[in-house]
Amino acid sequence: MAPHWRGGAQVLAVTLGILQCCGWLSAQTVRTSVGMMGRRPAQWPMSHERVKRGWVWNQFFVVEEYTGTEPLYVGKIHSDSDEGDGSIKYTISGEGAGTVFIIDEVTGDIHATERLDREEKTFYTLRAQARDRQTDAPLEPESEFVIKVQDINDSEPKFLEGPYIGSVAELSPIGTSVMKVMASDADDPNYGSSARIVYSVLEGERFFTVDRQAGVIRTAVADLDRETQDRYELVVKATDMAGQMGGLSGSTTVTIVITDVNDNPPRFPQKMYQFSVSEGAAVGTSIGRVIATDADMGENTDMSYLIKDEEGGELFRVSTDGDTQEAVITIKKSLDFENKRTHNVVVEAVNKHVDPRFVDLGSFRDQTIMRVSVSDVDEPPIFIPPTGTIMEVQEDVHLGALVGIVTAKDPDMDNVPIRFSIDRNTDQEQIFNIDPVTGAITLGKILDRETAGWHNITVTAVEAGKNPSMASQTAVSIRILDVNDNPPELATPYEASICEDAKPGQLIHTISVVDRDEPQSGHRFYFTLAPEASNNRHFTLWDIKDNTAGIRTQRSGFNRREQNVYLLPILVVDSGPPALSSTGTLTIHVCGCDTDGAIQSCNATAYVMSAALSPGALIALLLSCLSLIVPLVLVLLILTLKRHRKGQRMSEDEEDMRDNVIKYNDEGGGEQDTQAYDMSALRSLYDFPEVKNSDSGPDLHPVPQWIQNRVVGDGGPADFTVFKGYIRKKVEQADADLSVPPYDSFQTYAFEGSSSPALSLSSIRTLSTTSEQDFSYLSDWGPRFRQLAGYYAPAQPEEEGS
């Protein structure tokens, strides 16, 4: 593609760039042609190795600030595949496409439709595309190009930091640098001389000069005198185009202050200043400012301020504004119009840096008077004291008693009466009342220090008949003083235990008491036994003198079977006044202990120390007795009823003894088993008194009376010799035989004696000596069959005799 130019003084065709050519549907990079400024298109050199490319164009330039009526021609894009038949359509996209820049779809000519400003935007980046007009298919890859805005000298130099203020010491030598000024030009510094600036002095050139290139201002004379003229106003001009004809210029004002050596003291312009302030102004409020002038300049003018009079120093504070060197007067303490309406404050200014060369000229300080007038404002009431009140009252005072009085006054000259009230948010139970006129606080409800020892309320004061918003509040703390209205009490329901073998004087227990009162001198309690127990012979009380007491034994040898509980009433008295007392009971249990003194068991039988017990102790004792007696009576009634019924059954029963034997199909657990079955059920059938036999045999029990009556029949004496001998023999056999049940097991024997009228039904008695069967083998079966073998074996002589 070759660039095209259109003639005209307003159009500049600039082609400076490296073109990149892209083949259609190819990613191969090829060499591009380079357009030269001022050449015709036919004169552009081409690369020696030229690969067929799709289409190329140059970098475009457009002049800024174009004022013509027609769109400004920018350039032309052209594709090698364009044969001029209008089959190719050219489009652009990117910055300003369609608005700032438009393209002819057929020719590829680009025009600018708006006035461009290089200072706002220096270039535009766009993308070009060649498409088939029929199918709208892209014929070339989309490529990017740049349109640069060409500068013209349309911006004058500007001093962005002006106007300037500089300073130089008086009597400085010629050429002393004062300051530097600088102007800037928005034009392109890389194009022409539009941004090349030179400086000159328009006004004040007699005293100062300026460097044309650097803009440095220097002194032109050596006799600058600050006392004659303390500042100079210069006008400095900056011209672009290097100062040539037709260049644009701008100017600024430079104020040069002449500084001085410190040869002049500070001076207040006035000897008195008037200020006014409201008495309600807060501490720290600024009242006003004053400044002391100094004929010198620079740091020689630095000064500090102070208040000279004592009264002014108490109410006001002065500080130095570091930026303006002004004295700032502020309130140090609240002002009171009613106390003093006018204050005269002496303020002194002092140089900070005194030049010793000029000390003989006089004092480098000056004074002035600040008269401060205080104006009156309506102020809320003031409480006396203002920080709150603490009151004290006894807890036993009656309703309506005076607790204390709060005081407030109107600080204004009118001295309006004050009305008082209690903020009920701080006294919701309305324990206290206040007289709205006098401020007297009285009691509205009975106090109890043990419930609340302090009450904190808020009292409000307002001026009568005025704005209620002008109110003040103060905190009133009311301390409730203690009155001895609570007797001391044992700290806990004490219980103690002693061993039966306790020694006399042995410490059993230590007791302490509690008292809800808090006397100022501290608690002091006295212990003693109650009158009803003072003469007991069992225990004594020992007052340890540290508000505790110890209980000691008075004798030895307690027996818990006789009495295992002692109730010891103890009387406790406080120190008052008035002295109050109460009686508490110490429960002492007598217990069985081992050799080491460790408690093993305790019973629960109560014992009253004296017949004259208190009602509470007596009731407790009766309840304990009833709790023990009632179950015992019930058990006795049940047993009596059971024995009565069993007696009736036995009296009506006509069967023999064997029918009354109770059998248990249960194996005993040995001698240690006492729970296997109830032996009382067996023993209840008989009423055996123990008797001793005359011989050395085991103890025997006689046969019950009802059995004797049946055996005797006619009422004569019964002979139980045969039974005794039989049972004794069986007992001896059981003792000798280890295989039989234990000695405490119940055994039955089917033996009726020899004189039974009913004869025996046992098969043993049917044994005859003429029996053909031989039962001697039973003796070989072991001990368990020894008895049976004795019945069937031939009778022994001793057995016959028995």
Side-chain angles (χ1 to χ4, degrees), residues 162-193:
Y164 295 88
I165 299 177
S167 64
V168 63
E170 64 176 335
L171 304 177
S172 297
I174 296 174
T176 300
S177 176
V178 179
M179 63 182 304
K180 181 179 180 179
V181 294
M182 182 178 293
S184 62
D185 195 321
D187 292 325
D188 189 355
N190 299 319
Y191 179 75
S193 300

PDB file of all heavy atoms in Angstrom, residues 162-193:
ATOM      1  N   GLY A 162       3.179  30.939  41.171  1.00  0.00           N
ATOM      2  CA  GLY A 162       3.119  32.367  41.470  1.00  0.00           C
ATOM      3  C   GLY A 162       1.788  32.779  42.068  1.00  0.00           C
ATOM      4  O   GLY A 162       0.800  32.030  42.021  1.00  0.00           O
ATOM      5  N   PRO A 163       1.691  33.979  42.654  1.00  0.00           N
ATOM      6  CA  PRO A 163       2.825  34.910  42.828  1.00  0.00           C
ATOM      7  C   PRO A 163       3.785  34.404  43.893  1.00  0.00           C
ATOM      8  O   PRO A 163       3.424  33.650  44.767  1.00  0.00           O
ATOM      9  CB  PRO A 163       2.144  36.208  43.242  1.00  0.00           C
ATOM     10  CG  PRO A 163       0.886  35.758  43.896  1.00  0.00           C
ATOM     11  CD  PRO A 163       0.430  34.522  43.181  1.00  0.00           C
ATOM     12  N   TYR A 164       5.032  34.881  43.780  1.00  0.00           N
ATOM     13  CA  TYR A 164       6.104  34.391  44.625  1.00  0.00           C
ATOM     14  C   TYR A 164       6.425  35.397  45.727  1.00  0.00           C
ATOM     15  O   TYR A 164       6.267  36.607  45.556  1.00  0.00           O
ATOM     16  CB  TYR A 164       7.356  34.137  43.787  1.00  0.00           C
ATOM     17  CG  TYR A 164       7.184  33.040  42.775  1.00  0.00           C
ATOM     18  CD1 TYR A 164       6.681  33.314  41.497  1.00  0.00           C
ATOM     19  CD2 TYR A 164       7.537  31.736  43.077  1.00  0.00           C
ATOM     20  CE1 TYR A 164       6.532  32.298  40.568  1.00  0.00           C
ATOM     21  CE2 TYR A 164       7.391  30.716  42.147  1.00  0.00           C
ATOM     22  CZ  TYR A 164       6.884  31.003  40.894  1.00  0.00           C
ATOM     23  OH  TYR A 164       6.734  30.000  39.971  1.00  0.00           O
ATOM     24  N   ILE A 165       6.877  34.858  46.845  1.00  0.00           N
ATOM     25  CA  ILE A 165       7.358  35.682  47.946  1.00  0.00           C
ATOM     26  C   ILE A 165       8.727  35.145  48.351  1.00  0.00           C
ATOM     27  O   ILE A 165       8.871  33.965  48.657  1.00  0.00           O
ATOM     28  CB  ILE A 165       6.398  35.664  49.145  1.00  0.00           C
ATOM     29  CG1 ILE A 165       5.032  36.213  48.753  1.00  0.00           C
ATOM     30  CG2 ILE A 165       6.983  36.459  50.304  1.00  0.00           C
ATOM     31  CD1 ILE A 165       4.012  36.170  49.857  1.00  0.00           C
ATOM     32  N   GLY A 166       9.709  35.996  48.340  1.00  0.00           N
ATOM     33  CA  GLY A 166      11.048  35.614  48.745  1.00  0.00           C
ATOM     34  C   GLY A 166      11.604  36.614  49.738  1.00  0.00           C
ATOM     35  O   GLY A 166      10.973  37.606  50.080  1.00  0.00           O
ATOM     36  N   SER A 167      12.773  36.338  50.220  1.00  0.00           N
ATOM     37  CA  SER A 167      13.392  37.228  51.192  1.00  0.00           C
ATOM     38  C   SER A 167      14.890  37.202  51.011  1.00  0.00           C
ATOM     39  O   SER A 167      15.464  36.217  50.535  1.00  0.00           O
ATOM     40  CB  SER A 167      13.023  36.826  52.618  1.00  0.00           C
ATOM     41  OG  SER A 167      13.532  35.541  52.914  1.00  0.00           O
ATOM     42  N   VAL A 168      15.494  38.307  51.414  1.00  0.00           N
ATOM     43  CA  VAL A 168      16.935  38.405  51.383  1.00  0.00           C
ATOM     44  C   VAL A 168      17.342  39.345  52.513  1.00  0.00           C
ATOM     45  O   VAL A 168      16.628  40.300  52.836  1.00  0.00           O
ATOM     46  CB  VAL A 168      17.429  38.935  50.018  1.00  0.00           C
ATOM     47  CG1 VAL A 168      16.926  40.341  49.742  1.00  0.00           C
ATOM     48  CG2 VAL A 168      18.953  38.882  49.923  1.00  0.00           C
ATOM     49  N   ALA A 169      18.447  39.038  53.149  1.00  0.00           N
ATOM     50  CA  ALA A 169      18.906  39.861  54.258  1.00  0.00           C
ATOM     51  C   ALA A 169      19.389  41.216  53.742  1.00  0.00           C
ATOM     52  O   ALA A 169      19.927  41.337  52.631  1.00  0.00           O
ATOM     53  CB  ALA A 169      20.029  39.150  55.005  1.00  0.00           C
ATOM     54  N   GLU A 170      19.129  42.214  54.554  1.00  0.00           N
ATOM     55  CA  GLU A 170      19.600  43.539  54.162  1.00  0.00           C
ATOM     56  C   GLU A 170      21.127  43.564  54.101  1.00  0.00           C
ATOM     57  O   GLU A 170      21.814  42.752  54.733  1.00  0.00           O
ATOM     58  CB  GLU A 170      19.085  44.592  55.137  1.00  0.00           C
ATOM     59  CG  GLU A 170      19.605  44.438  56.558  1.00  0.00           C
ATOM     60  CD  GLU A 170      19.154  45.567  57.465  1.00  0.00           C
ATOM     61  OE1 GLU A 170      18.868  46.645  56.957  1.00  0.00           O
ATOM     62  OE2 GLU A 170      19.082  45.332  58.682  1.00  0.00           O
ATOM     63  N   LEU A 171      21.606  44.499  53.288  1.00  0.00           N
ATOM     64  CA  LEU A 171      23.049  44.694  53.104  1.00  0.00           C
ATOM     65  C   LEU A 171      23.734  43.474  52.497  1.00  0.00           C
ATOM     66  O   LEU A 171      24.933  43.253  52.677  1.00  0.00           O
ATOM     67  CB  LEU A 171      23.738  45.077  54.430  1.00  0.00           C
ATOM     68  CG  LEU A 171      23.167  46.317  55.144  1.00  0.00           C
ATOM     69  CD1 LEU A 171      23.889  46.532  56.462  1.00  0.00           C
ATOM     70  CD2 LEU A 171      23.236  47.532  54.264  1.00  0.00           C
ATOM     71  N   SER A 172      22.952  42.676  51.826  1.00  0.00           N
ATOM     72  CA  SER A 172      23.560  41.517  51.156  1.00  0.00           C
ATOM     73  C   SER A 172      24.355  41.989  49.946  1.00  0.00           C
ATOM     74  O   SER A 172      24.003  42.971  49.287  1.00  0.00           O
ATOM     75  CB  SER A 172      22.475  40.538  50.709  1.00  0.00           C
ATOM     76  OG  SER A 172      21.797  40.025  51.817  1.00  0.00           O
ATOM     77  N   PRO A 173      25.450  41.275  49.558  1.00  0.00           N
ATOM     78  CA  PRO A 173      26.259  41.686  48.400  1.00  0.00           C
ATOM     79  C   PRO A 173      25.514  41.483  47.092  1.00  0.00           C
ATOM     80  O   PRO A 173      24.529  40.756  47.029  1.00  0.00           O
ATOM     81  CB  PRO A 173      27.490  40.783  48.503  1.00  0.00           C
ATOM     82  CG  PRO A 173      27.025  39.592  49.273  1.00  0.00           C
ATOM     83  CD  PRO A 173      26.003  40.099  50.251  1.00  0.00           C
ATOM     84  N   ILE A 174      26.035  42.180  46.054  1.00  0.00           N
ATOM     85  CA  ILE A 174      25.422  42.061  44.730  1.00  0.00           C
ATOM     86  C   ILE A 174      25.557  40.612  44.240  1.00  0.00           C
ATOM     87  O   ILE A 174      26.590  39.973  44.405  1.00  0.00           O
ATOM     88  CB  ILE A 174      26.112  43.039  43.740  1.00  0.00           C
ATOM     89  CG1 ILE A 174      25.883  44.484  44.168  1.00  0.00           C
ATOM     90  CG2 ILE A 174      25.597  42.830  42.316  1.00  0.00           C
ATOM     91  CD1 ILE A 174      26.648  45.493  43.333  1.00  0.00           C
ATOM     92  N   GLY A 175      24.496  40.149  43.642  1.00  0.00           N
ATOM     93  CA  GLY A 175      24.492  38.783  43.111  1.00  0.00           C
ATOM     94  C   GLY A 175      24.039  37.732  44.102  1.00  0.00           C
ATOM     95  O   GLY A 175      24.056  36.530  43.789  1.00  0.00           O
ATOM     96  N   THR A 176      23.618  38.185  45.287  1.00  0.00           N
ATOM     97  CA  THR A 176      23.114  37.201  46.270  1.00  0.00           C
ATOM     98  C   THR A 176      21.817  36.599  45.748  1.00  0.00           C
ATOM     99  O   THR A 176      20.895  37.311  45.333  1.00  0.00           O
ATOM    100  CB  THR A 176      22.871  37.866  47.627  1.00  0.00           C
ATOM    101  OG1 THR A 176      24.104  38.420  48.098  1.00  0.00           O
ATOM    102  CG2 THR A 176      22.332  36.865  48.625  1.00  0.00           C
ATOM    103  N   SER A 177      21.754  35.279  45.746  1.00  0.00           N
ATOM    104  CA  SER A 177      20.548  34.596  45.255  1.00  0.00           C
ATOM    105  C   SER A 177      19.401  34.814  46.221  1.00  0.00           C
ATOM    106  O   SER A 177      19.536  34.621  47.440  1.00  0.00           O
ATOM    107  CB  SER A 177      20.821  33.106  45.089  1.00  0.00           C
ATOM    108  OG  SER A 177      19.644  32.427  44.713  1.00  0.00           O
ATOM    109  N   VAL A 178      18.286  35.212  45.657  1.00  0.00           N
ATOM    110  CA  VAL A 178      17.089  35.460  46.469  1.00  0.00           C
ATOM    111  C   VAL A 178      16.142  34.269  46.366  1.00  0.00           C
ATOM    112  O   VAL A 178      15.745  33.670  47.358  1.00  0.00           O
ATOM    113  CB  VAL A 178      16.389  36.758  46.036  1.00  0.00           C
ATOM    114  CG1 VAL A 178      15.130  36.994  46.860  1.00  0.00           C
ATOM    115  CG2 VAL A 178      17.340  37.929  46.159  1.00  0.00           C
ATOM    116  N   MET A 179      15.784  33.903  45.138  1.00  0.00           N
ATOM    117  CA  MET A 179      14.849  32.796  44.931  1.00  0.00           C
ATOM    118  C   MET A 179      14.841  32.435  43.459  1.00  0.00           C
ATOM    119  O   MET A 179      15.504  33.095  42.641  1.00  0.00           O
ATOM    120  CB  MET A 179      13.435  33.181  45.392  1.00  0.00           C
ATOM    121  CG  MET A 179      12.838  34.327  44.622  1.00  0.00           C
ATOM    122  SD  MET A 179      11.203  34.766  45.238  1.00  0.00           S
ATOM    123  CE  MET A 179      10.368  33.209  45.089  1.00  0.00           C
ATOM    124  N   LYS A 180      14.128  31.427  43.110  1.00  0.00           N
ATOM    125  CA  LYS A 180      14.021  30.971  41.734  1.00  0.00           C
ATOM    126  C   LYS A 180      12.554  30.882  41.358  1.00  0.00           C
ATOM    127  O   LYS A 180      11.731  30.377  42.123  1.00  0.00           O
ATOM    128  CB  LYS A 180      14.675  29.604  41.565  1.00  0.00           C
ATOM    129  CG  LYS A 180      14.622  29.061  40.143  1.00  0.00           C
ATOM    130  CD  LYS A 180      15.308  27.710  40.056  1.00  0.00           C
ATOM    131  CE  LYS A 180      15.251  27.174  38.637  1.00  0.00           C
ATOM    132  NZ  LYS A 180      15.948  25.864  38.513  1.00  0.00           N
ATOM    133  N   VAL A 181      12.263  31.391  40.135  1.00  0.00           N
ATOM    134  CA  VAL A 181      10.903  31.279  39.608  1.00  0.00           C
ATOM    135  C   VAL A 181      10.952  30.334  38.427  1.00  0.00           C
ATOM    136  O   VAL A 181      12.000  30.162  37.790  1.00  0.00           O
ATOM    137  CB  VAL A 181      10.352  32.666  39.200  1.00  0.00           C
ATOM    138  CG1 VAL A 181      10.185  33.560  40.409  1.00  0.00           C
ATOM    139  CG2 VAL A 181      11.237  33.313  38.163  1.00  0.00           C
ATOM    140  N   MET A 182       9.822  29.710  38.147  1.00  0.00           N
ATOM    141  CA  MET A 182       9.773  28.738  37.059  1.00  0.00           C
ATOM    142  C   MET A 182       8.406  28.787  36.415  1.00  0.00           C
ATOM    143  O   MET A 182       7.372  28.799  37.097  1.00  0.00           O
ATOM    144  CB  MET A 182      10.055  27.330  37.575  1.00  0.00           C
ATOM    145  CG  MET A 182      10.063  26.280  36.472  1.00  0.00           C
ATOM    146  SD  MET A 182      10.451  24.637  37.134  1.00  0.00           S
ATOM    147  CE  MET A 182      12.155  24.912  37.612  1.00  0.00           C
ATOM    148  N   ALA A 183       8.440  28.837  35.057  1.00  0.00           N
ATOM    149  CA  ALA A 183       7.200  28.806  34.278  1.00  0.00           C
ATOM    150  C   ALA A 183       7.172  27.525  33.466  1.00  0.00           C
ATOM    151  O   ALA A 183       8.219  26.956  33.124  1.00  0.00           O
ATOM    152  CB  ALA A 183       7.118  30.026  33.364  1.00  0.00           C
ATOM    153  N   SER A 184       6.003  27.083  33.134  1.00  0.00           N
ATOM    154  CA  SER A 184       5.834  25.871  32.331  1.00  0.00           C
ATOM    155  C   SER A 184       4.999  26.187  31.110  1.00  0.00           C
ATOM    156  O   SER A 184       4.149  27.079  31.133  1.00  0.00           O
ATOM    157  CB  SER A 184       5.173  24.763  33.162  1.00  0.00           C
ATOM    158  OG  SER A 184       3.887  25.176  33.556  1.00  0.00           O
ATOM    159  N   ASP A 185       5.283  25.442  30.001  1.00  0.00           N
ATOM    160  CA  ASP A 185       4.567  25.636  28.735  1.00  0.00           C
ATOM    161  C   ASP A 185       3.980  24.301  28.349  1.00  0.00           C
ATOM    162  O   ASP A 185       4.673  23.277  28.306  1.00  0.00           O
ATOM    163  CB  ASP A 185       5.536  26.135  27.658  1.00  0.00           C
ATOM    164  CG  ASP A 185       4.799  26.701  26.440  1.00  0.00           C
ATOM    165  OD1 ASP A 185       3.766  26.112  26.067  1.00  0.00           O
ATOM    166  OD2 ASP A 185       5.262  27.721  25.890  1.00  0.00           O
ATOM    167  N   ALA A 186       2.685  24.292  28.018  1.00  0.00           N
ATOM    168  CA  ALA A 186       1.985  23.049  27.696  1.00  0.00           C
ATOM    169  C   ALA A 186       2.315  22.547  26.311  1.00  0.00           C
ATOM    170  O   ALA A 186       1.920  21.431  25.956  1.00  0.00           O
ATOM    171  CB  ALA A 186       0.483  23.251  27.841  1.00  0.00           C
ATOM    172  N   ASP A 187       3.004  23.337  25.489  1.00  0.00           N
ATOM    173  CA  ASP A 187       3.344  22.878  24.148  1.00  0.00           C
ATOM    174  C   ASP A 187       4.384  21.773  24.215  1.00  0.00           C
ATOM    175  O   ASP A 187       5.020  21.533  25.257  1.00  0.00           O
ATOM    176  CB  ASP A 187       3.865  24.052  23.325  1.00  0.00           C
ATOM    177  CG  ASP A 187       2.755  25.076  23.047  1.00  0.00           C
ATOM    178  OD1 ASP A 187       1.607  24.640  22.875  1.00  0.00           O
ATOM    179  OD2 ASP A 187       3.041  26.292  23.042  1.00  0.00           O
ATOM    180  N   ASP A 188       4.562  21.129  23.016  1.00  0.00           N
ATOM    181  CA  ASP A 188       5.454  19.975  22.944  1.00  0.00           C
ATOM    182  C   ASP A 188       6.898  20.458  23.033  1.00  0.00           C
ATOM    183  O   ASP A 188       7.375  21.211  22.175  1.00  0.00           O
ATOM    184  CB  ASP A 188       5.232  19.246  21.620  1.00  0.00           C
ATOM    185  CG  ASP A 188       5.960  17.913  21.569  1.00  0.00           C
ATOM    186  OD1 ASP A 188       6.712  17.614  22.522  1.00  0.00           O
ATOM    187  OD2 ASP A 188       5.775  17.175  20.580  1.00  0.00           O
ATOM    188  N   PRO A 189       7.619  20.038  24.065  1.00  0.00           N
ATOM    189  CA  PRO A 189       9.011  20.488  24.184  1.00  0.00           C
ATOM    190  C   PRO A 189       9.930  19.832  23.161  1.00  0.00           C
ATOM    191  O   PRO A 189      11.055  20.286  22.958  1.00  0.00           O
ATOM    192  CB  PRO A 189       9.378  20.093  25.608  1.00  0.00           C
ATOM    193  CG  PRO A 189       8.499  18.933  25.918  1.00  0.00           C
ATOM    194  CD  PRO A 189       7.216  19.181  25.194  1.00  0.00           C
ATOM    195  N   ASN A 190       9.472  18.765  22.506  1.00  0.00           N
ATOM    196  CA  ASN A 190      10.308  18.053  21.543  1.00  0.00           C
ATOM    197  C   ASN A 190      10.057  18.506  20.105  1.00  0.00           C
ATOM    198  O   ASN A 190      10.632  17.936  19.170  1.00  0.00           O
ATOM    199  CB  ASN A 190      10.051  16.541  21.656  1.00  0.00           C
ATOM    200  CG  ASN A 190      10.389  16.009  23.027  1.00  0.00           C
ATOM    201  OD1 ASN A 190      11.408  16.406  23.606  1.00  0.00           O
ATOM    202  ND2 ASN A 190       9.542  15.128  23.554  1.00  0.00           N
ATOM    203  N   TYR A 191       9.190  19.464  19.918  1.00  0.00           N
ATOM    204  CA  TYR A 191       8.842  19.896  18.557  1.00  0.00           C
ATOM    205  C   TYR A 191       9.022  21.399  18.469  1.00  0.00           C
ATOM    206  O   TYR A 191       8.304  22.171  19.136  1.00  0.00           O
ATOM    207  CB  TYR A 191       7.402  19.510  18.233  1.00  0.00           C
ATOM    208  CG  TYR A 191       6.970  19.956  16.854  1.00  0.00           C
ATOM    209  CD1 TYR A 191       7.421  19.284  15.714  1.00  0.00           C
ATOM    210  CD2 TYR A 191       6.108  21.044  16.698  1.00  0.00           C
ATOM    211  CE1 TYR A 191       7.024  19.689  14.449  1.00  0.00           C
ATOM    212  CE2 TYR A 191       5.709  21.451  15.432  1.00  0.00           C
ATOM    213  CZ  TYR A 191       6.168  20.776  14.313  1.00  0.00           C
ATOM    214  OH  TYR A 191       5.774  21.177  13.066  1.00  0.00           O
ATOM    215  N   GLY A 192       9.970  21.847  17.756  1.00  0.00           N
ATOM    216  CA  GLY A 192      10.194  23.260  17.538  1.00  0.00           C
ATOM    217  C   GLY A 192      10.628  23.967  18.801  1.00  0.00           C
ATOM    218  O   GLY A 192      11.189  23.388  19.731  1.00  0.00           O
ATOM    219  N   SER A 193      10.364  25.279  18.864  1.00  0.00           N
ATOM    220  CA  SER A 193      10.741  26.118  20.004  1.00  0.00           C
ATOM    221  C   SER A 193       9.534  26.583  20.787  1.00  0.00           C
ATOM    222  O   SER A 193       9.608  27.559  21.544  1.00  0.00           O
ATOM    223  CB  SER A 193      11.543  27.337  19.499  1.00  0.00           C
ATOM    224  OG  SER A 193      12.717  26.941  18.834  1.00  0.00           O
TER     225      SER A 193
END
